[in-house]
Amino acid sequence: MRNPQTDERAAMADDYTPSDAPDAAAADTAAGASGDGMIELPVIEAGDAYREKPKQRFWRSVAQLEEDPDYKEVTKNEFRPGAEEPPSGANRRQFLQLMGASLAMGGLAACRRPTEKILAYARKPEEVIEGVAMRYATAMPFQGHLRSLLVRNSEGRPTKVEGNAEHPQGHGATSVFEQASILNLYDPDRSRTVQQDRSDTSWRAFVDFAREMHADAANRSIAVLAEPSYAPTTAALRAQLEAQYAEVQWITYDPRGEDPARLGMQQAFGAPYLPDYRFDEAEVIVSLEADFLGATDVNSVMNNRRFADGRRLNGPEDAMSRLYVAESNYTITGAQADHRERMRSTDVRAFAAAIAAGLGVGDVGTAGDRFAGHPVVEAIVEDLEAAGANGVLLAGDAQPPEVHALCAAINDALGAIGTTMLLYDTEEGTQPPQPEPAQAEALTALVEDMQAGAIDVVLMLGVNPVYDAPADLNFAEALANVRRTVHAGLHVDETARACAWHVPLAHYLESWGDGRSYDGTLSVVQPLIAPLYEDAHSAIEILNAFATGRDQSGYDIVRAQWRGVLSENFERDWRRVLHSGFQPDTGYTTVTPSAATITLEDHGEADGLEVVFRLDPSVYDGRFANNAWMQELPDPTTKIVWDNVAMVSPGTAEELGLEVRYSAGNYYADLIEVSVNGTSVELPVWIQPGHADGVVTVSMGYGRDIHSRRSARNTNFFDTDDYTDIYGQGRAIGTGVGTSVAPLRTTEALRVAPNASVSATGQTYQIVTTMEHGAIELESRPLYRMGTYEEFQANPEFVMDVEPYIPKGEDARTYPELWEEDHPKDQPAMRNNPYYKNQWGMVIDLNACTGCNACVVACQSENNIQVIGKQEVGNGREMHWLRIDRYFVSPGVEPEDVPEDPQMVLQPVPCQHCENAPCEAVCPVAATYHSPDGMNQMIYNRCIGTRYCSNNCPYKVRKFNYYNWSKTLPTTTRMGLNPDVTVRSRGVMEKCSYCIHRIRGTQQRANIEDRDIRDGEMKTACQQACPAGAITFGDLNDTDSEVNRWKANPRRYEMLSEYNLKPRTSYLGRVRNPNPRLDEARRTA
Amino acid sequence: MPQIFPKKANNLPVVSLVGTMFGGVLLILLVWYYFSPDFLWTGYQPSQPVEFSHRLHAGELGMDCQYCHNWVEVSSHANVPSTQTCMNCHNQIQTQSLKLLPVRESWASGRPIEWVKVHHLPDYAHFSHAGHVDAGVGCETCHGQISEMEVVYQAESLSMGWCLECHRQPELYLRPNEEITTMNYVQPADFVERNLERIREQGIQPPTNCSACHY
């Protein structure tokens, strides 16, 4: 391996003399004093440190690019403006006076030790061991399919969600929604009692009502709006309902609308097959606005994994796929693209048609003429023809079904069906066999019936149509005409308020159920805790009450259903299913049909603005709006927290005269009115580089109105608890955050609304984004290193080209050496330590990481990291131990080089666990120190809060508890805290600990069992959650470990290696695979 | 002019200075000791909801510690037994005793008995019983003569310094694993050599670095 230090040193030794130093005065001193035995140190200018001028420029925001003086002022400092301000309400003088007065009385109060109680079980379940966590396999329903999980249960409470590694789909990884779902269980604003006409009643009363309906079922008409589901139990209950009631309208309600992919498959193949993509088999992937890597995608975990598998490069001999993306908004899939074309959502259709015409597929006529001869289209056609069965096209949610059908037809023409595109036949054996009307038609028919008073009972199970049904239906109004309306949901939300009955829904972690994962494998959903509230029941229990008139538990219902699924030896098989989380060999059959000829009409080019509605990558459709973790999670591409915005491109913003002002570290966006067909909503605008012109992208799921029973916390002016308590605002967390865009959506325009207009209101709104937090890339430090596939093949160690040079520095890539002999790690006490034989390290593969945020929420869940609220995030105090930095890339470093379509890259930055950690050297109380196993650890009880360590950390990964955020947590939220991790109080610094509690637990177990730790036995939370498998962690002393294999990768580098910090976390540089023929024609970074 | 102060008043500055210094040192020493875990925590003997006597059960009756605190070899907690464990015997023995009324009530209602925790380490110090028991630390080494306690009190300070005494010299405190639960265990004369042998064989290295317990 090349050592850039020694090479350069040898080269420079001859021609470097002190008199060459730019700073002549210093040189003279040095030269003059040399005779006295003083050490002569060469003077280094910042510019000298970099061997090659960087070829690219990485920038976080336009303010940075334009060298906004405010930006420079703000990022020069350690802390953001406002970070050191006390909360309003108390000035220092008052505070000190009062503190002085109460000191005398406060001193003696804590002398008596508070009594702690031990509550042992009365009847302990046989398998429970107090202090040892248990894990149960269950599954989370997501868009109708189950995501198989293994959930950790600490003393009867679920505390962490992990993926089920044994399940054929998943590799033990999860997306951001599974991780956050646990906080939904413990939501303090969950509804707790059955309500009738807004007053509390009981579950018994509801069952009586259901029984009454069932008794007269032959004369009743019932409408059910339920979430999409492939669960056999739900299907069976539906069949029972249809057998009993005179008329049953069952509407599968998905807030986005009908799934265009399945409708497309229907068009192409005659049956609504479920498409699954094998990106690991693909050489060429063309995404037509399909955000298949984003968390909102139906199969995002497997997509991430397969896509990353297709691009893992251990050496120049490995091949990697090529991704073309055409989209309107900048998504993380677009960030991974080797070629990205931004265009209107309505133009993607023409783009697809042009590709089809180039390949000779389908009957597209003139639909694609706009893009005929387009270089990217031609490149795609060429690549697809070369790839054949290893090519794949897919279209996204916002595209109409015919585009999906066209993609399927193209895939069929390529021969990709069965290789890169799998089709599952879901209808086989499922009920009901007859085709169902599309959701939009069904809803319209239902509304008409409701208006006419023809429906007796309307059941809404886990859906919120008053909030997100198409606005032109006037669902709320129609609902008012029905006498008996039932809403079952986690919260008393918009729909609950409009209904006669509200039943608290049991969360999936507290209910029995079943379903199928995306590939069809049957699973049972088993609860990890009894429902937190007595009245909470699951959807199947409620359905059962109406279908049979009986109050049966979900357990009995599911078991009864599964008697037909499992063999004769039911109990044994049932236990096996519960143990492993799935029933093997129950996947859908894969089919390989031929596609019909798809006709695509020419819709012409749209003009004017169009509004694209997307599911939010944080709050989804609103079900995570009350989830504090998700509200505070920075959006993957805009890094905005706690709000939703209307995203436009810089070009559109200029055209419309919209601005986002940057002032003292905060953004103030123009508040605009977005109008579609006469209805308008007010949203703050956001200018996103790389966004398509003429499109406004808005997120669903905000502007909720959730009822909360909790009152506002009001404390004395010197008690800062009320200021920092996000749970104590007197309203639900999600209420009033952001703006709902549901009024703009109509049945004709559920995903894309054409002919929109935007006008400025003249007001501004503060938007808090974390995109500049942790801005450490001053003077073009090579933090994110990337190259093209050709560069990589020619020079596998291309990341070393920009490696900075340090005179007399040592090779940063050898472990575990240190630069001083009396470093603590070389002391006998450390060397003789049993921990010394493990040296932990981590590698993050930037080719695999898509920036989906799953690791951030997993870390938050595992380590009891607190949520601090919008204002505090604005002050730069967000507590996430792992942040994902977003950079845009310009091909050159001059200001003119800024493109309209910049590349976006995302880099996770946790604590790097430097061997020569600058934070350790400056802590006055040794609260942060180097453990014998090579990590930098925090000892919370020693910390006195000087924050010098954070000051000295060049990566800015240390987080300080400015307030006592954990003290003010509601009781139910505390239930979700991880008991193995210390909960930090005010005044204490914290940071990524490489999940040391997991390491110590594993070491203890290995010690007791008298063995070494096996590679892969313990995983950090981020490593375990990552859907793409981008993070690996392990023992560097174990020569066979995976982490050592990754460290040997030629793409490996460390961030800020020029400071001789020797971080234990390495990165593998990003390699893009642009089409060599396109490089000249298209701008690439 | 009349002398207000007698001549011996000249001593006052010196005396008060010396007195203050001594007083200060005395105050520091007193605070040091009386605010230390050795004083504050040792001897803590809270009253429990049920008058359970270890002297009767573990001492007179000779019940093994691990009959009730059964997960001590497996878990970080040495669990306080469930009411079911009590009822193993007490559904037949002393079924009418008033002292056992809270136990029977707990068994009938399913509500736990609210024991008061005696040996409490702060939350930022993570301690695991399993590792210690496996290495050969006896129950009475840390918990004292439980079999003679009518009401359990904390016999040792359980301060970090106290823990380090053993962690730095484990050979002085270990015992064979068969004797872990023995009360009033008398070490054989050559116990230090035996322990050193065991430490060598099994590679027992009690950690003294911070992140072993504080993380």
Side-chain angles (χ1 to χ4, degrees):
Chain A
M1 203 168 292
R2 278 193 310 146
N3 184 342
Q5 320 303 351
T6 46
D7 286 345
E8 197 75 351
R9 209 183 303 161
M12 282 185 69
D14 298 332
D15 40 358
Y16 191 85
T17 56
S19 56
D20 286 350
D23 189 349
D28 283 341
T29 321
S34 59
D36 304 343
M38 260 188 65
I39 306 167
E40 275 180 32
L41 295 172
V43 176
I44 307 174
E45 280 287 299
D48 291 351
Y50 302 98
R51 303 172 75 242
E52 260 188 43
K53 239 192 166 304
K55 301 190 296 271
Q56 303 148 331
R57 184 169 175 193
F58 292 83
W59 44 280
R60 290 166 175 261
S61 64
V62 178
Q64 176 181 11
L65 205 54
E66 293 172 352
E67 311 216 343
D68 191 313
D70 256 344
Y71 177 87
K72 297 183 103 137
E73 197 55 45
V74 165
T75 47
K76 211 171 51 180
N77 298 323
E78 152 75 14
F79 298 110
R80 302 184 61 76
E84 287 166 336
E85 292 305 308
S88 54
N91 63 31
R92 282 211 167 88
R93 218 169 187 194
Q94 289 172 309
F95 182 80
L96 283 174
Q97 279 169 351
L98 243 100
M99 284 295 100
S102 50
L103 180 63
M105 296 183 296
L108 300 172
C111 265
R112 168 140 295 201
R113 186 163 69 168
T115 343
E116 279 231 357
K117 297 277 177 75
I118 300 179
L119 269 61
Y121 282 95
R123 285 179 174 75
K124 190 175 74 67
E126 199 181 305
E127 62 275 0
V128 172
I129 302 176
E130 293 95 325
V132 175
M134 306 185 65
R135 288 175 167 74
Y136 289 99
T138 182
M140 172 169 124
F142 185 74
Q143 295 189 24
H145 312 274
L146 290 186
R147 295 262 175 95
S148 187
L149 306 171
L150 197 65
V151 181
R152 180 185 69 205
N153 188 317
S154 310
E155 265 116 39
R157 313 179 312 277
T159 49
K160 181 71 169 56
V161 169
E162 306 291 358
N164 185 351
E166 284 182 21
H167 194 275
Q169 295 238 314
H171 301 271
T174 54
S175 83
V176 68
F177 294 121
E178 287 94 283
Q179 292 293 333
S181 64
I182 202 160
L183 198 66
N184 271 3
L185 168 71
Y186 293 121
D187 192 338
D189 298 318
R190 268 181 71 185
S191 64
R192 303 176 181 204
T193 53
V194 176
Q195 291 190 346
Q196 185 180 14
D197 298 319
R198 305 306 309 280
S199 60
D200 291 343
T201 171
S202 70
W203 169 250
R204 282 250 56 83
F206 180 76
V207 172
D208 288 338
F209 162 69
R211 193 171 291 138
E212 195 190 306
M213 290 297 109
H214 174 259
D216 196 24
N219 302 325
R220 299 254 182 234
S221 69
I222 184 170
V224 179
L225 282 90
E227 297 190 88
S229 168
Y230 294 81
T233 306
T234 316
L237 281 169
R238 177 177 170 176
Q240 276 185 297
L241 217 61
E242 282 168 352
Q244 299 282 329
Y245 285 79
E247 191 201 329
V248 176
Q249 288 188 40
W250 183 287
I251 297 163
T252 305
Y253 182 84
D254 187 335
R256 292 169 305 157
E258 194 82 35
D259 185 4
R262 307 219 47 203
L263 288 178
M265 298 304 122
Q266 174 92 45
Q267 267 186 39
F269 302 109
Y273 297 127
L274 201 61
D276 195 9
Y277 299 97
R278 295 296 308 269
F279 297 113
D280 46 343
E281 304 280 338
E283 285 168 17
V284 181
I285 305 163
V286 181
S287 157
L288 301 169
E289 218 182 14
D291 186 15
F292 60 88
L293 297 173
T296 50
D297 186 86
V298 64
N299 199 17
S300 68
V301 175
M302 283 311 288
N303 287 346
N304 265 288
R305 186 56 189 238
R306 288 172 176 155
F307 183 72
D309 282 345
R311 289 165 85 94
R312 284 194 211 284
L313 297 170
N314 291 322
E317 66 283 356
D318 286 344
M320 66 184 280
S321 58
R322 179 172 293 146
L323 173 64
Y324 295 90
V325 172
E327 59 181 12
S328 55
N329 182 25
Y330 217 140
T331 62
I332 58 178
T333 311
Q336 288 293 309
D338 300 305
H339 290 285
R340 178 179 177 270
E341 284 301 303
R342 62 185 183 116
M343 61 184 67
R344 287 162 170 268
S345 188
T346 44
D347 275 351
V348 174
R349 179 201 184 82
F351 193 78
I355 297 174
L359 288 169
V361 175
D363 173 19
V364 297
T366 54
D369 284 357
R370 259 203 312 294
F371 289 99
H374 192 282
V376 177
V377 171
E378 290 183 345
I380 290 176
V381 168
E382 208 180 314
D383 271 353
L384 283 176
E385 279 173 345
N390 291 109
V392 66
L393 271 103
L394 63 160
D397 267 354
Q399 295 304 311
E402 48 268 25
V403 177
H404 287 260
L406 188 64
C407 289
I410 295 174
N411 286 335
D412 185 34
L414 293 172
I417 311 266
T419 37
T420 51
M421 179 177 182
L422 303 176
L423 290 170
Y424 298 133
D425 184 2
T426 60
E427 301 293 289
E428 210 180 39
T430 59
Q431 307 243 5
Q434 56 270 51
E436 297 174 39
Q439 178 181 319
E441 286 167 34
L443 262 183
T444 318
L446 175 67
V447 166
E448 274 170 25
D449 283 343
M450 288 200 295
Q451 293 278 20
I455 309 279
D456 283 318
V457 189
V458 177
L459 273 187
M460 286 163 284
L461 303 171
V463 296
N464 196 355
V466 170
Y467 172 71
D468 49 25
D472 56 340
L473 288 180
N474 288 322
F475 193 88
E477 214 181 284
L479 201 62
N481 283 344
V482 183
R483 200 154 56 92
R484 301 180 192 87
T485 46
V486 178
H487 171 256
L490 279 180
H491 303 109
V492 175
D493 55 19
E494 298 85 344
T495 307
R497 287 200 194 91
C499 286
W501 288 91
H502 167 78
V503 180
L505 199 63
H507 191 266
Y508 79 90
L509 285 171
E510 30 172 54
S511 50
W512 285 94
D514 65 353
R516 292 176 177 272
S517 55
Y518 195 74
D519 68 341
T521 312
L522 278 173
S523 287
V524 171
V525 175
Q526 68 170 322
L528 268 92
I529 188 171
L532 292 182
Y533 309 112
E534 230 179 283
D535 279 354
H537 285 82
S538 60
I540 56 173
E541 286 168 346
I542 297 170
L543 273 175
N544 186 61
F546 281 92
T548 61
R550 291 204 301 273
D551 177 17
Q552 272 183 305
S553 75
Y555 181 64
D556 294 326
I557 301 171
V558 174
R559 273 169 67 95
Q561 175 64 28
W562 276 65
R563 280 191 194 274
V565 175
L566 298 175
S567 73
E568 297 284 301
N569 197 338
F570 177 73
E571 290 304 329
R572 180 200 68 182
D573 285 353
W574 173 253
R575 230 192 293 281
R576 278 190 186 159
V577 171
L578 291 185
H579 169 80
S580 52
F582 61 98
Q583 176 72 351
D585 303 319
T586 47
Y588 298 124
T589 32
T590 322
V591 293
T592 48
S594 305
T597 313
I598 307 298
T599 317
L600 208 65
E601 282 151 23
D602 188 355
H603 280 186
E605 191 166 358
D607 59 353
L609 287 174
E610 58 191 44
V611 178
V612 177
F613 302 97
R614 66 162 192 168
L615 287 170
D616 192 76
S618 305
V619 305
Y620 192 58
D621 61 347
R623 65 190 67 200
F624 291 92
N626 215 44
N627 187 316
W629 293 346
M630 292 309 246
Q631 287 284 7
E632 193 149 299
L633 190 67
D635 181 280
T637 51
T638 61
K639 302 296 172 200
I640 292 176
V641 299
W642 287 96
D643 274 309
N644 65 333
V645 290
M647 282 185 275
V648 294
S649 69
T652 312
E654 207 177 304
E655 210 182 289
L656 297 170
L658 303 172
E659 267 194 313
V660 176
R661 264 167 296 277
Y662 182 75
S663 157
N666 283 313
Y667 284 91
Y668 297 91
D670 280 349
L671 212 52
I672 59 170
E673 225 179 56
V674 180
S675 320
V676 171
N677 273 341
T679 347
S680 61
V681 295
E682 259 181 34
L683 282 167
V685 74
W686 188 254
I687 300 174
Q688 177 79 328
H691 195 272
D693 292 330
V695 182
V696 179
T697 305
V698 296
S699 291
M700 295 160 55
Y702 285 88
R704 298 293 310 278
D705 187 9
I706 296 169
H707 175 73
S708 169
R709 291 170 191 253
R710 297 174 299 112
S711 49
R713 176 197 292 269
N714 282 312
T715 54
N716 294 317
F717 71 90
F718 54 84
D719 185 347
T720 53
D721 279 357
D722 61 342
Y723 176 78
T724 62
D725 182 7
I726 58 147
Y727 288 99
Q729 303 298 314
R731 52 174 173 77
I733 312 241
T735 302
V737 175
T739 314
S740 172
V741 298
L744 298 178
R745 299 175 71 221
T746 59
T747 37
E748 299 306 311
L750 276 178
R751 295 184 153 104
V752 181
N755 303 320
S757 62
V758 161
S759 61
T761 59
Q763 294 167 318
T764 57
Y765 183 80
Q766 185 192 14
I767 292 286
V768 171
T769 162
T770 64
M771 64 186 184
E772 281 148 9
H773 295 189
I776 56 177
E777 69 283 1
L778 315 167
E779 294 158 3
S780 324
R781 288 169 173 169
L783 299 173
Y784 191 98
R785 304 189 191 175
M786 52 195 282
T788 63
Y789 188 55
E790 292 179 323
E791 279 169 27
F792 176 62
Q793 284 185 311
N795 174 17
E797 294 187 7
F798 71 92
V799 293
M800 283 296 135
D801 286 346
V802 289
E803 179 83 356
Y805 162 67
I806 317 143
K808 293 191 171 60
E810 59 180 286
D811 187 352
R813 294 154 70 106
T814 48
Y815 286 109
E817 290 172 24
L818 289 173
W819 50 276
E820 257 187 58
E821 273 134 20
D822 50 5
H823 192 283
K825 250 186 69 201
D826 283 325
Q827 297 306 302
M830 288 290 211
R831 280 193 182 278
N832 291 338
N833 195 292
Y835 296 141
Y836 191 73
K837 59 180 192 261
N838 303 118
Q839 293 297 322
W840 304 103
M842 177 185 277
V843 181
I844 300 178
D845 187 355
L846 293 173
N847 237 22
C849 173
T850 55
C852 69
N853 278 335
C855 53
V856 179
V857 184
C859 176
Q860 189 159 29
S861 172
E862 175 80 10
N863 293 296
N864 306 334
I865 297 172
Q866 301 308 325
V867 174
I868 62 177
K870 178 178 171 182
Q871 275 311 117
E872 289 297 293
V873 178
N875 285 338
R877 294 170 173 171
E878 72 271 12
M879 299 301 289
H880 296 126
W881 287 7
L882 175 55
R883 66 164 191 268
I884 307 216
D885 284 341
R886 174 207 73 180
Y887 300 100
F888 291 105
V889 189
S890 307
V893 294
E894 303 309 316
E896 312 81 71
D897 289 324
V898 178
E900 275 187 350
D901 303 337
Q903 166 99 32
M904 181 198 293
V905 295
L906 297 150
Q907 183 177 32
V909 182
C911 168
Q912 309 282 305
H913 290 268
C914 313
E915 292 201 16
N916 297 341
C919 54
E920 290 168 14
V922 297
C923 177
V925 293
T928 181
Y929 89 117
H930 218 76
S931 75
D933 34 4
M935 300 177 286
N936 174 276
Q937 287 301 331
M938 265 309 295
I939 306 159
Y940 303 116
N941 43 313
R942 276 186 90 98
C943 178
I944 54 171
T946 50
R947 308 198 294 274
Y948 199 169
C949 56
S950 171
N951 200 343
N952 221 23
C953 174
Y955 304 98
K956 296 289 170 260
V957 286
R958 285 178 156 270
K959 308 294 171 181
F960 186 68
N961 285 280
Y962 284 91
Y963 296 105
N964 210 343
W965 288 300
S966 50
K967 179 169 147 203
T968 51
L969 291 176
T971 319
T972 48
T973 318
R974 283 169 198 265
M975 287 171 73
L977 293 175
N978 184 350
D980 292 332
V981 176
T982 310
V983 176
R984 284 82 55 192
S985 173
R986 178 178 49 211
V988 161
M989 189 65 79
E990 60 185 54
K991 65 168 187 73
C992 161
S993 62
Y994 269 1
C995 279
I996 185 170
H997 54 284
R998 291 188 176 195
I999 297 176
R1000 292 286 176 255
T1002 311
Q1003 279 170 333
Q1004 264 170 33
R1005 264 197 308 281
N1007 224 2
I1008 292 175
E1009 292 171 21
D1010 233 351
R1011 59 170 175 82
D1012 286 329
I1013 298 182
R1014 293 182 285 264
D1015 183 38
E1017 186 180 350
M1018 95 34 64
K1019 295 185 172 201
T1020 57
C1022 50
Q1023 175 192 13
Q1024 198 167 12
C1026 179
I1031 302 179
T1032 196
F1033 176 82
D1035 187 2
L1036 294 171
N1037 272 351
D1038 177 359
T1039 40
D1040 293 325
S1041 63
E1042 200 186 340
V1043 72
N1044 267 328
R1045 279 198 296 280
W1046 285 39
K1047 291 260 183 191
N1049 193 313
R1051 292 186 286 137
R1052 165 195 159 191
Y1053 71 95
E1054 283 80 33
M1055 273 171 72
L1056 298 182
S1057 48
E1058 64 264 32
Y1059 294 114
N1060 210 21
L1061 304 169
K1062 306 193 75 160
R1064 282 288 172 94
T1065 302
S1066 307
Y1067 289 88
L1068 299 184
R1070 168 93 178 268
V1071 176
R1072 288 176 51 245
N1073 189 11
N1075 192 323
R1077 281 169 292 266
L1078 275 182
D1079 237 353
E1080 309 79 275
R1082 316 298 298 173
R1083 169 223 48 82
T1084 49
Chain B
M1 146 183 184
Q3 301 293 325
I4 312 167
F5 294 101
K7 193 128 194 211
K8 60 180 188 298
N10 280 345
N11 294 330
L12 195 59
V14 180
V15 169
S16 49
L17 183 66
V18 171
T20 312
M21 276 166 44
F22 268 125
V25 170
L26 184 65
L27 182 67
I28 289 171
L29 288 175
L30 289 179
V31 168
W32 194 331
Y33 177 68
Y34 285 108
F35 279 59
S36 71
D38 272 311
F39 176 77
L40 277 182
W41 298 359
T42 322
Y44 177 55
Q45 190 176 35
S47 56
Q48 301 288 347
V50 175
E51 289 171 41
F52 177 78
S53 164
H54 276 91
R55 185 195 298 214
L56 169 63
H57 291 78
E60 271 181 54
L61 299 174
M63 285 168 76
D64 189 72
C65 310
Q66 288 189 39
Y67 178 77
C68 296
H69 302 281
N70 57 316
W71 295 121
V72 72
E73 280 179 335
V74 173
S75 163
S76 53
H77 305 312
N79 54 311
V80 166
S82 57
T83 313
Q84 186 164 11
T85 310
C86 306
M87 295 307 285
N88 280 349
C89 293
H90 285 290
N91 58 356
Q92 292 178 319
I93 299 169
Q94 302 270 22
T95 51
Q96 306 297 324
S97 161
L98 276 177
K99 285 191 187 174
L100 284 165
L101 186 59
V103 178
R104 290 193 295 277
E105 275 177 353
S106 162
W107 177 244
S109 67
R111 276 193 299 277
I113 303 171
E114 295 191 13
W115 300 102
V116 179
K117 191 168 186 183
V118 180
H119 302 86
H120 180 55
L121 285 182
D123 286 343
Y124 48 77
H126 298 256
F127 171 81
S128 167
H129 274 89
H132 288 78
V133 169
D134 183 67
V137 181
C139 304
E140 65 172 342
T141 311
C142 309
H143 295 289
Q145 300 291 322
I146 294 275
S147 58
E148 285 164 24
M149 296 180 193
E150 196 65 47
V151 183
V152 173
Y153 58 88
Q154 186 171 326
E156 303 283 348
S157 67
L158 301 185
S159 66
M160 178 171 143
W162 174 88
C163 291
L164 282 176
E165 270 172 34
C166 174
H167 271 235
R168 287 177 174 147
Q169 292 184 300
E171 61 272 12
L172 301 180
Y173 298 92
L174 297 181
R175 58 175 74 179
N177 278 28
E178 307 82 57
E179 307 289 351
I180 296 269
T181 57
T182 314
M183 291 286 136
N184 287 316
Y185 178 65
V186 174
Q187 296 271 22
D190 59 343
F191 78 99
V192 177
E193 286 87 62
R194 287 192 197 205
N195 281 341
L196 283 170
E197 176 73 37
R198 176 185 183 172
I199 285 169
R200 216 180 3 259
E201 263 174 52
Q202 294 181 3
I204 294 176
Q205 284 176 293
T208 50
N209 62 304
C210 311
S211 70
C213 312
H214 294 290
Y215 51 82

